[in-house]
Amino acid sequence: PPTVVVDAGAVLGPGVKIWHVAHVCAGARLGAGTVLGQGGYVGPGVVIGPGCKIQNHVSLYEGVSLAEDVFVGPHAAFTNVLHPRAHVSRRGEFDLTRVERRVTIGCNATIVCGVTLGEASFVAAGAVVTRDVAPRVLVMGAPARPVGYACDCGERLPAPALVCGRCGAAYVGREGGGLDPVAIQPGA
């Protein structure tokens, strides 16, 4: 659309779709098949993996990286400075925020900089994430707290079984928190 601004030096993979009134800055990289919603902003140096779906009015500031197949709900917010002040330049102090593959971030969630969202973790709508989230952990609230687990397909896992009622995937607890998928043996 004519209302989209893609600065020289931005890299768009094949099949990237960008909706109205969006801006992708120089040095940003959007992976193949990524969708950036209306009013989206992708800052300098931001890396977005293939297959991501970034809904309307999401700003990804310098220091944020999304792995593949990440879903970011409408109006989700990312920060990149812990102690901002209008009159104090913090450009050299951006904290890194890593969002690992298959993470879901709900509508109006806030991700405070410097955290890692583990693989396939699930951030509920409106949550305020101030600490790392382990793989496949479901967090909600302000501040966000673990309240359960999420399957790779997105469904909440019933405790204590940790077997998805939708797709049948099974999981086991991992050392340090979170879940790992149970490997299915050939012929089993």
Side-chain angles (χ1 to χ4, degrees), residues 5-186:
V5 175
V6 178
D7 292 344
V11 177
L12 306 181
V16 167
K17 294 179 182 168
I18 303 175
W19 293 93
H20 299 284
V21 198
H23 183 188
V24 180
C25 293
R29 295 191 335 239
L30 281 69
T34 288
V35 176
L36 177 62
Q38 180 177 314
Y41 172 81
V42 182
V46 171
V47 176
I48 300 172
C52 291
K53 305 292 186 247
I54 302 157
Q55 301 300 303
N56 296 344
H57 305 289
V58 172
S59 294
L60 300 169
Y61 297 110
E62 191 171 350
V64 175
S65 68
L66 307 181
E68 66 269 15
D69 298 324
V70 170
F71 177 88
V72 183
H75 301 277
F78 290 82
T79 69
N80 63 0
V81 174
L82 280 178
H83 306 288
R85 291 284 196 197
H87 67 283
V88 178
S89 175
R90 304 267 196 225
R91 291 207 54 81
E93 301 175 29
F94 294 157
D95 282 339
L96 303 179
T97 299
R98 288 184 7 170
V99 181
E100 295 181 352
R101 67 190 207 111
R102 296 184 179 164
V103 168
T104 292
I105 299 170
C107 177
N108 290 319
T110 299
I111 312 301
V112 175
C113 60
V115 301
T116 296
L117 303 181
E119 181 176 356
S121 60
F122 199 112
V123 177
V128 178
V129 178
T130 60
R131 296 185 289 190
D132 290 352
V133 178
R136 296 175 185 83
V137 169
L138 168 63
V139 296
M140 60 178 51
R145 299 275 189 243
V147 296
Y149 297 102
C151 179
D152 284 1
C153 76
E155 294 292 318
R156 189 170 185 168
L157 292 170
L162 301 180
V163 175
C164 181
R166 180 182 190 116
C167 72
Y171 298 88
V172 63
R174 73 172 5 199
E175 189 173 323
L179 298 177
D180 284 323
V182 173
I184 301 191
Q185 302 298 323

